[in-house]
Structures are given as structure tokens and as C-alpha cells.
Amino acid sequence: MSRRTPKLPSWLPVDPYILALLGTVGLAALLPASGSAASVASGASTGAVALLFFLYGARLSTREAMDGLRHWRLHVTVLACTFVAFPLLGLAAKGLVPFLLTPDLYNGLLFLCLVPSTIQSSIAFTSIARGNVPAAICAGSFSSIAGIVITPLLAAGLLGNSGGGFSADSLLKIVLQLLVPFLAGQFLRRWVGGFLVRNKKVLGYVDRGSILLVVYSAFSEGMARGIWHQVSVYRLGALLAVEAVLLAAMLMLTWYGVKRLGFDRGDRIAIQFAGSKKSLAAGLPMASVLFGAQASLAVLPLMLFHQMQLMVCAVIAKRRARDPLAEQEPGTDAVPADRGRGVRVGE
């Protein structure tokens, strides 16, 4: 009689890619790139960022995005949650410095509040919860596009020199590394779109490998500058507690708050999952451009928040799917509860 292999609970999505990210951080701590190797890693990281945003642009269907504009109230609501409500909560957390958070950790927390929403995980959780999947697709796409411009501008206004300095040179780097590749991907989509669809799985590994390279480069530079001596177990625990409160506040706002705006159940689900989460895939490359040598501490809050949002939203999505009032509505997409369990951490 064979024994069953123990499995993690289905509501606890410990994504293997999070382990890969942590392993990359450990590698950078033990074997940080230095000297000429650091220059090579930095150059490769810059190229990886450009490649990531080129692929984002090439994958985004302009037609689908334009069709989604018809539901403009929902998209404006998601954008307001992502780029207004989140930053306001981040600014309110300033009072926690220096009692709970160090200035560097707070800057990372505030940066977390400025990055765009996710795409893939928003779609997956909306699908599990039987919400408005087309709306989630468009909302996540619009947030990602807007974030290329809005996130650096918010960082310039709210972080200023604490973010490693925001100058004309920083703006030029953002344009060259993020916006130009994205627009190039959009322009070339008609020629490369078919190839991307046929090789979606392989290119997924390219995405994730690029992000791992960005993480290794950032944390190697952080090790070289000795910034990890500024973080204690107490500070990390405090950061996790603050992020838990932040996520809870946004989940309540995007569910109970939007109910007053007259959205139906399917739309509220899409708004909750698109408006309460932050993109690791977009945030990591942006941090490497905006923060420079301080990028390792800047992305730590985002990495922790990302895993937290996956775990909590998985529980919520399963409960929404079991809701007796979850009837098929116009514009929604009902799927089995176990569909979409494999959420991409890159988002």
C-alpha cells in the first residue's frame, strides 16, 4: 500500500519562485558580484530590464485594451486605488519612523505603494472567485501601462533624494530602459505576437530569469555597501505587521468601499484583486533604475508584500467561489475553484 506524498494546503500558495528569489538573495549574500563581475552583472541587469518591458509591450493586445475602455468607471477606480489610495496610506506610515521602521525600510514601503498592479495573478484570482475576468485583464494592463509613467513621477514627488536621487539622468534611464522597449514591443507585436504565443512557456522562464538577475545585481551591490547591517529581526517583524495592515485596509476598501459606487459583484471582485495588489515584475526593474545602490532594501518590502498578497488573496478567492450568491452575471467568467492555482510570481 503506497503512501501519499504530503502536500501543502491548497489555500497556501507558497510559490516556488518565491523560494528562487530568496535563494538568489542568499547567493548574493554569500557570493556577491564584485569588481569586473559587478560591472558585468549590472550591464546584464540593465539589458534584462529592457527585455522585460519589451515583452510586456509585445504581449499586450492593443485591441483588447481599447475594447476595455468601455468599462472606464471600473478602470478609473482601480487606478485610483493603485496610485492614490495606496500612496496615501504609504504617506500615513511615515509616523512609524523611526519607532517601527528605519528610514530605508520606510522608503521601500512607500515605493511599494507606488508601483502598478498585477496582471496575471489578478486574472487568476478573479477567475477563481467567478468575477469579471475581462475587466481584470484590462484593469491590470492599464495599470501596468500607466505605471511606467506614473510610478517614476510619484517617486520623484514623494521620495525625492531619498530614492537615490531623481534627476534628468534618472528620467532618461526610465525612458530608455522602460518606456522605449515597451513601445518597441507594441510596434513589433504584429510580427512577433505569434511567436510569443507559441513559446509562452519558454518566455515565462525568460521573464523570471531576468527578474532573478535584477535581484542578484541589486542585492550584490547592497552587500558591497554593507546596508544589510541596518536591518534587524525586530525591524523585519515590524515591516511584516505594517504590510499586513496595509493589505487588510486595501482589501476592505476595494470590496466594501466600491460597493457604494454601484458596481455589481463581478466587477467588485475584479476591482478587489486588481486594486489591492502590487506587481513584483514591474516593481523590481523600476527600483533598480530609481534607487541604484539602495535598490536591495527598496525591493525588500515589495518582495514580502507580494508573497503575503498571494496567500491572502488565494483564501479570499476560494471563499468568493463558494459564496451562495455567486451567480453567473453578464461579463463574468465562472470556472472551477481549483482553476488558476498556479499564479505567476513574476506578476
Side-chain angles (χ1 to χ4, degrees), residues 103-104 107 155 158-165 291 294:
D104 287 330
N107 289 334
L158 301 181
L159 287 168
N161 291 332
S162 62
F291 287 87
Q294 287 77 38

Side-chain angles (χ1 to χ4, degrees), residues 189-204:
R189 187 180 188 279
R190 60 182 297 182
W191 294 286
V192 302
F195 174 81
L196 295 178
V197 172
R198 292 191 302 271
N199 298 275
K200 183 177 181 180
K201 184 175 181 179
V202 175
L203 290 173

Side-chain angles (χ1 to χ4, degrees), residues 244-321:
V245 173
L246 175 64
L247 179 59
M250 288 306 303
L251 286 170
M252 288 191 293
L253 175 65
T254 52
W255 183 252
Y256 297 106
V258 300
K259 184 178 182 180
R260 293 182 170 272
L261 299 179
F263 290 103
D264 60 29
R265 179 186 177 278
D267 288 347
R268 288 170 65 196
I269 289 174
I271 292 172
Q272 182 174 55
F273 289 127
S276 65
K277 297 205 299 303
K278 292 295 184 176
S279 173
L280 191 69
L284 286 175
M286 288 182 180
S288 68
V289 176
L290 294 173
F291 287 87
Q294 287 77 38
S296 54
L297 275 183
V299 301
L300 181 61
L302 179 59
M303 290 173 62
L304 296 175
F305 186 85
H306 189 271
Q307 180 61 18
M308 184 184 296
Q309 72 186 10
L310 285 181
M311 296 171 67
V312 173
C313 288
V315 175
I316 293 174
K318 293 296 182 66
R319 290 183 176 178
R320 296 269 187 266

